[in-house]
Amino acid sequence: MTLLDLSASDLSRLIAARQIKPSEIMTEHLSRVAERNGAVNAIVSAPTPDLLMAAAKQADEEKPQGWLHGIPLAVKDLVAVKGLRTTYGSPIFANNIAPADDIVAKRMRRAGAIFTGKTNSPEWGHGSHSFNPVFGATRNPYDISRSAGGSSGGAAAALACRMVPVADGSDMMGSLRNPAAFCNIYGFRPTWGLVPSDALGDTHMATLSTEGPMARTVEDIARFLEVLAGENPQAPFPRPSQPFGDSLTMDLRGKKIGWLADWGGAYPCEPGILELCETALGVFRDQGAEVETLSAPFPAQELWKAWLTLRAFLNAGAKRALYEDPKSRDQLKPETQWEIEQGLGLSAAAVYEASVIRSRWYARAARLFETYDALIMPSAQVWPFPVDWRWPQEINGQTMDTYHRWMEIVVPVSLIGLPSLALPAGFGSTGLPMGFQLFGPSGSDARILAMGQQYHLATDWPNRQPPQFKF
């Protein structure tokens, strides 16, 4: 085992005990970036190695002030990091140097992280395949002819390649969960509001997207969440942080888990995905949990209708100025233009109806959680697909009518802001990874992480690769 194989939590403990230096960690990670990043294209806009080594050597001499002290961290390119090129995957911002940190970057910096660059994402985070006209596509470490997912695909690929020990991501429509499944790592979408947004634009109605942690261990997820979480006095609906990393012990005996599979056939899944996830459910059964197969608890088409409406409404509001300027409109990807156009055509009645559907589903889910401690579905409906596709056009012969319909299985969680941990489920017959999402009621983040920790201790999939895969 090398330094690259250690978790961020282990590295943090070793640094605090003065048993290892940040410069030693940086040396190993820079070597891995030089070795692997050219093939996968996960980390972009990186400072020079000399600058990074200088920052690490300075950290050698300083007393650790936070969990990330001296740890290399590349930040998703949808997050502004002061002094680093921050493009949002858009040619409009191809040369943008961020003048200030976004709130989550500020918290990472305060915890001692050394920023080694940005992680690639699709333009504006639209779509679960990380390609854009600025940097190109991120490739899957398990098969570089395949997608790493998105929109946190660069983060997931960098983690799988051991180019970073922990990573941040964001999730509106599965962007923490889908790439985690594609790259055999963990991703956590926290309860909406636990990780606050910046006080920019609308902060009252924009309650679909959230930042969150990605890692190769659940402990790293929990401890990084402590860094990211906590109230922003300038943003509404505050939620206090908790000591998530010290709350991971749980006895699963007597816990009840509902298996929702493909939502009664509403969410088609490519062959082998459901079977692999069902096998993974056996880990919970072996530890004493009761797993019960459930029928679809709410009409999928109503959820999709509400999702399309609210997503388009928010995209149109946030990006209308770019759309109305002919110069910038021509540089927006077609999918983003479509989102904005859908939103601009909405009536107030349509938005209200979507919000009512969302409210009804929240209430129905709350009743489910009176019986079940957690629910489970696959994290993705397709295996990692060819990197030169824009998106999967069909699943099992069923045409996908939008650029994101193929990942509809994440909508029940995203629509109502539930905490959801993407867990690796293992590998399919071709050696490609897949995963499932374990989710619970609003505010149950600690419970979901503790349940996930028991699964991780029994499996540790991120350190178990198929025979043909070599780091």
Side-chain angles (χ1 to χ4, degrees):
M1 178 178 288
T2 70
L3 290 178
L4 297 173
D5 296 309
L6 295 179
S7 69
S9 296
D10 285 338
L11 292 173
S12 182
R13 284 186 280 264
L14 289 170
I15 291 171
R18 300 290 186 179
Q19 295 179 21
I20 197 169
K21 294 180 178 180
S23 59
E24 296 175 88
I25 297 170
M26 184 64 74
T27 296
E28 293 295 318
H29 282 85
L30 287 178
S31 177
R32 178 52 59 89
V33 170
E35 176 188 341
R36 296 291 169 85
N37 197 48
V40 298
N41 190 36
I43 296 179
V44 298
S45 301
T48 67
D50 286 347
L51 283 174
L52 293 175
M53 283 305 305
K57 289 177 180 178
Q58 180 178 337
D60 289 348
E61 307 302 321
E62 297 171 342
K63 182 180 179 180
Q65 297 296 316
W67 181 73
L68 288 170
H69 177 83
I71 290 181
L73 185 64
V75 181
K76 187 173 179 179
D77 203 25
L78 300 184
V79 173
V81 175
K82 183 179 181 179
L84 285 186
R85 188 181 179 196
T86 300
T87 75
Y88 313 102
S90 169
I92 301 169
F93 291 90
N95 299 308
N96 175 56
I97 304 298
D101 288 334
D102 281 348
I103 187 169
V104 291
K106 187 178 298 182
R107 291 180 174 186
M108 295 178 221
R109 193 188 297 275
R110 188 173 60 207
I114 300 176
F115 296 130
T116 58
K118 308 302 289 293
T119 53
N120 201 28
S121 75
E123 184 178 339
W124 301 113
H126 289 169
S128 194
H129 177 24
S130 296
F131 72 95
N132 60 65
V134 183
F135 298 113
T138 296
R139 296 171 178 269
N140 194 304
Y142 289 88
D143 181 344
I144 61 171
S145 72
R146 303 276 168 164
S147 170
S151 62
S152 307
L159 277 165
C161 285
R162 276 55 177 172
M163 294 192 289
V164 291
V166 70
D168 71 294
S170 56
D171 187 312
M172 187 181 204
M173 190 181 177
S175 292
L176 284 158
R177 292 162 285 162
N178 178 276
F182 277 21
C183 293
N184 187 37
I185 62 159
Y186 296 95
F188 185 63
R189 179 190 167 104
T191 294
W192 192 88
L194 181 60
V195 177
S197 61
D198 286 88
L200 299 171
D202 170 54
T203 57
H204 275 80
M205 301 182 74
T207 57
L208 295 181
S209 182
T210 181
E211 305 287 334
M214 307 180 83
R216 297 189 298 268
T217 72
V218 176
E219 183 188 9
D220 282 359
I221 291 280
R223 297 200 183 279
F224 194 22
L225 181 60
E226 293 176 11
V227 172
L228 300 175
E231 300 175 9
N232 175 6
Q234 298 178 29
F237 318 121
R239 285 182 177 271
S241 186
Q242 300 176 43
F244 298 105
D246 293 329
S247 306
L248 293 174
T249 301
M250 176 180 283
D251 187 343
L252 290 178
R253 287 176 295 182
K255 300 297 183 185
K256 295 193 68 174
I257 298 173
W259 166 234
L260 288 164
D262 58 1
W263 208 266
Y267 305 141
C269 295
E270 287 186 336
I273 291 177
L274 292 176
E275 292 81 0
L276 187 67
C277 291
E278 286 171 350
T279 298
L281 292 177
V283 175
F284 291 104
R285 290 192 178 98
D286 291 344
Q287 296 185 70
E290 178 185 341
V291 181
E292 180 181 342
T293 300
L294 304 181
S295 58
F298 200 89
Q301 192 56 38
E302 287 193 42
L303 297 178
W304 183 244
K305 179 182 178 181
W307 177 259
L308 282 182
T309 299
L310 295 173
R311 180 179 169 99
F313 165 72
L314 293 172
N315 274 310
K319 297 184 172 53
R320 182 170 183 167
L322 293 174
Y323 182 82
E324 291 181 339
D325 183 338
K327 293 180 182 178
S328 53
R329 181 192 302 179
D330 291 343
Q331 296 183 76
L332 293 172
K333 67 190 289 187
E335 294 85 353
T336 299
Q337 292 189 37
W338 176 82
E339 288 275 8
I340 296 169
E341 289 164 358
Q342 295 295 307
L344 292 177
L346 289 170
S347 66
V351 175
Y352 180 78
E353 180 186 3
S355 188
V356 169
I357 293 171
R358 183 188 198 187
S359 302
R360 287 172 46 224
W361 165 227
Y362 188 96
R364 175 69 183 102
R367 292 196 298 273
L368 275 176
F369 291 124
E370 292 173 2
T371 301
Y372 299 96
D373 295 284
L375 303 175
I376 288 178
M377 291 191 294
S379 292
Q381 295 169 244
V382 300
W383 298 96
F385 52 84
V387 73
D388 57 356
W389 291 8
R390 289 187 76 86
W391 72 83
Q393 300 289 320
E394 57 89 21
I395 301 177
N396 302 341
Q398 181 174 325
T399 300
M400 299 293 103
D401 56 1
T402 72
Y403 78 101
H404 48 14
R405 189 69 182 256
W406 60 274
M407 52 184 299
E408 188 179 359
I409 203 164
V410 301
V411 165
V413 165
S414 298
L415 187 62
I416 54 176
L418 303 181
S420 179
L421 178 61
L423 298 157
F427 302 89
S429 59
T430 62
L432 292 172
M434 185 44 59
F436 60 96
Q437 48 183 329
L438 175 78
F439 60 101
S442 181
S444 67
D445 303 71
R447 179 205 307 173
I448 295 301
L449 290 171
M451 294 178 75
Q453 171 72 342
Q454 311 323 305
Y455 177 86
H456 170 73
L457 294 175
T459 57
D460 193 14
W461 279 114
N463 282 312
R464 295 168 57 189
Q465 282 77 43
Q468 68 269 32
F469 183 80
K470 302 292 182 184
F471 281 123

